[in-house]
Amino acid sequence: MTSKLPKKAGGLPSVQSTIKHLLQSHRTRENIKNLLRVNQTDGFDCPGCAWGDNQHGTFQFCENGAKAIAWESTDKLVDAEFFKTHSVSQLLKQSDYWLEYQGRLAEPMRYNAKNDHYQSISWQDAFKLIGDKLNSLTDPNQLELYTSGRASNEAAYLYQLFGRLFGTNNFPDCSNMCHEASGVALTQSVGIGKGTVVLDDFDHANAIFVFGQNPGTNHPRMMNALRKASKQGCNIVTFNNLKEVALKKFASPQDPTELLTPAATQISHLYLSPKLGGDMAAIRGMVKTLVESYPSKINQTFVQQHTKGLDDYLAIVNTTSWQHIEQQSGLTQNELTQAAKVFIESDKVISCWAMGLTQHTHSVDTIREVVNLHLLTGQIGKKGAGLCPVRGHSNVQGNRTMGINEKPTAAFIQALEQTLKVQLPYAAGHNVYHALNALQQKQSKVLICLGGNLAQAASDSQFTHQAIKNAQLNVQISTKLNRSHLLVGEDALILPCLGRTEKDQQQSGLQKITVEDTFSMVHASQGMTEPVSPHCMSETAIVAHIAHATCPDKFNWLELKDDYRKIRQLIAQTIAGFEQFNQKIEQPAGFHLTNSAAELRWNTASKLANFNAAKLPNSVLADCYSNMQQTMGDAKNITFVLQSMRSHDQYNTTIYALNDRYRGISGERNVLLINKDDAKQLNLAEGEHVDISSVCDQGISREIKAFKLVYYDIPRGNLAAYYPETNPLLAIDSVGRASFTPTSKSIPVTIRVTSQKRLRVKQI
Ligand SMILES: Nc1nc2c(c(=O)[nH]1)N[C@H]1C(S)=C(S)[C@@H](COP(=O)(O)OP(=O)(O)OC[C@H]3O[C@@H](n4cnc5c(=O)[nH]c(N)nc54)[C@H](O)[C@@H]3O)O[C@H]1N2
Ligand SMILES: Nc1nc2c(c(=O)[nH]1)N[C@H]1C(S)=C(S)[C@@H](COP(=O)(O)OP(=O)(O)OC[C@H]3O[C@@H](n4cnc5c(=O)[nH]c(N)nc54)[C@H](O)[C@@H]3O)O[C@H]1N2
Ligand SMILES: [Mo]
């Protein structure tokens, strides 16, 4: 392990880092004010993660929330002058970090293929161009409507309504690359694809299990809940492939002693490091312990009243051998028994998880295994207990609730049809996987992205980049310049939008938008700083104008954008749980959407919660890598399993800086974490550079070059590196079963020393 690792997370370095990022924003004063308004009544919702807020609205310091705000609210502008100086080909050579660092997109631009530059276009002309192009398509399913999870409920609702009135359910969504497996698994098991707990439950739990999640970086406000729980005597058990420092010790920047002294709160009482993709086996081991050694702890009353499929499930548990469990999880029976005991001996248990569980081939079964354990013990639907998929983007869950879903339920479409007196498509549309394939094959012809950076977020970069280039029209509604804007074919538009922190002025006055957090709390958000440019438009208005330019007769789109309350009235009429929406958001903390599973109502076909009797997979790798699985174990050419993850200084494809303080890494991102013994076996030294490659069954070889080795406390056979740099390695077909999520946490790779010649070129 490197000696540079910090002993605790949080504390003074967090505050120092925040100040640095605020200063770099060139809008320091506004951003300090912004920080005080984040997640407050009459303030705006943090554009960082989807973690919820306490009901009292007390200020919660969050280093990475501050970075997200400072990054959005900057005075640096990317305008017509900028694009005059830089051709698209030149921009393509820049790093993702450089591209976003240039500042906020400040006016609408259109790509000119003749001179390879973006040039100004009026909003009116841009909308007309989109409308004309869409109306020239021979089939509405030639349109792909991507969404990234920052869009407001209002923008998302209009977007899906527009897409469906146009005639398509093609709604690829960042969620397809993120928590899709959670939605699928929870719907199959408990009848609703959302978490069953609220923030208050963390105050009442006796045990909290954290699977495959790095909250110190990605959900820093969750650390307050974990710290408080730990101080109250709650046992916290972590399953993480890496030893993440925040999950070991955390110092609250709001506690003077922990801020200024080495003092910190111990977070995890038991910390287990399974092999990548080994969690299903680990949880199976916990279940086996329960069933075989503590059968009286099975909650018979709950199982009988509320569940279906116990016998089949127990039969599978019975046939799963400890040998298989130990080999796949990389954990011993003894370790798993300890974890099982904490679970079994606690009367209120919450399980949390994020990308470490969702980005594998067998993620749906893994998450259903977590649910199996909760069902056996009745740990759901009571205070202090339940299931908590910790969502990523701040409104990704709300987008789904609003209908951003390529497979809407018939009931959802019927409600829209009946209330709005319209006809909409029922057939399933495209998720990200299907959309990229359709674009690659030129079956889809227009791509509109409501935020995000599909080019860098999706796997198989070469394939994905070509797919986006194939679009006859590529429309990006964005705040910052990124690679998705530069993959231009015939025609492309950049439509600059307002950020969360900014005032959204429409004809009826200053507008509020609404969002839903990971606990299904819906609340209002209102930006307060002046927009960076008078030429930026709100996302909601942009969507309304696109709809108006395309299908003006179907709806009075422009009236809706003039007053967002009218959009909320439509939501109230068409989506269950939003009755009296405009009134309910006047409550300071917003309102909670009820969760059927938390109320022990099971919206499944059986009307019961379903056990899932799935075998452990033979291999954690996707089927398209069966050749690579065979080479595993050959000392000269070991197939490692690589996970791609976030550093402390990034937000998905947005790179804030080149450091990863909690992992002791600074100044670079092309690093590869490796177990010291694996490196020694291959005669590789720390600091040496390696090329990383993977070969899928189609024989396509994918490679990324010159990654610097860092010794790390990681299970043997596993590696870790950052996303998006690792995305070129992952075959487009390497997706989760039933979730289609890229298997970003289990990429089979081999490594070899980078040639000296190449390294010299790199250093120049
Ligand atoms: N600052 C910041 N905040 C963010 C984001 C960001 O990029 N930056 N992104 C947002 C988004 S969209 C999301 S989805 C979330 C992501 O939040 P996370 O899921 O925390 O994100 P990752 O960095 O992908 O971290 C995965 C964690 O799981 C562990 N892990 C990987 N594979 C396995 C495995 O097989 N088993 C186990 N047990 N552990 C494993 C890794 O070691 C790592 O700690 O964060 C959101 N919040
Ligand atoms: N290998 C690998 N790949 C992954 C992952 C991984 O762990 N490993 N994680 C996956 C996950 S969990 C996710 S969620 C996806 C993320 O996929 P996306 O959501 O598509 O990507 P982001 O990087 O969040 O998008 C950044 C861009 O969003 C735009 N933006 C920022 N704020 C706003 C706003 O308020 N409005 C609008 N309209 N635009 C805005 C900016 O232009 C910025 O460049 O990536 C996935 N890809
Ligand atoms: Mo995500």
Side-chain angles (χ1 to χ4, degrees), residues 170-304:
N170 286 351
F171 290 106
D173 170 22
C174 74
S175 184
N176 299 141
M177 300 177 278
C178 180
H179 262 292
E180 186 74 34
S182 306
V184 174
L186 292 174
T187 305
Q188 289 175 356
S189 287
V190 298
I192 180 167
K194 298 183 183 184
T196 68
V197 297
V198 294
L199 186 53
D200 185 49
D201 285 310
F202 284 76
D203 274 353
H204 298 271
N206 312 122
I208 300 170
F209 281 68
V210 183
F211 295 98
Q213 196 201 341
N214 182 20
T217 288
N218 297 316
H219 302 92
R221 284 174 298 123
M222 178 175 175
M223 293 312 303
N224 299 337
L226 293 179
R227 175 176 173 272
K228 190 169 169 209
S230 171
K231 280 194 176 304
Q232 287 170 358
C234 171
N235 279 310
I236 297 174
V237 180
T238 291
F239 283 77
N240 197 305
N241 188 247
L242 301 177
K243 293 276 169 4
E244 304 286 20
V245 63
L247 287 167
K248 295 203 280 187
K249 275 189 174 177
F250 178 70
S252 167
Q254 275 166 282
D255 177 306
T257 316
E258 292 189 355
L259 179 68
L260 298 170
T261 73
T265 305
Q266 183 189 351
I267 300 296
S268 300
H269 301 87
L270 181 63
Y271 200 123
L272 300 176
S273 294
K275 282 194 202 164
L276 291 169
D279 299 81
M280 181 177 176
I283 303 158
R284 182 61 55 86
M286 289 168 66
V287 170
K288 213 167 158 67
T289 307
L290 166 68
V291 172
E292 289 175 359
S293 311
Y294 303 89
S296 65
K297 296 284 188 178
I298 294 178
N299 188 334
Q300 296 291 352
T301 326
F302 183 91
V303 170
Q304 271 163 29

Side-chain angles (χ1 to χ4, degrees), residues 27 29-47 53 57-60 69 73 500-503 523-530:
R27 262 193 158 189
R29 257 169 55 125
E30 285 96 330
N31 277 331
I32 289 173
K33 282 197 220 149
N34 267 336
L35 264 191
L36 296 172
R37 284 195 291 253
V38 65
N39 297 340
Q40 305 297 298
T41 310
D42 292 331
F44 62 93
D45 180 70
C46 181
D53 308 302
T58 38
F59 173 74
Q60 290 192 57
I69 290 162
S73 190
R500 280 272 171 84
T501 50
E502 287 162 336
K503 285 183 182 162
H523 59 89
S525 166
Q526 190 169 30
M528 301 298 268
T529 49
E530 289 305 322

Side-chain angles (χ1 to χ4, degrees), residues 178 355 392-393 646 652:
C178 180
M355 299 303 102
H393 265 302
R646 292 151 174 81
N652 296 340

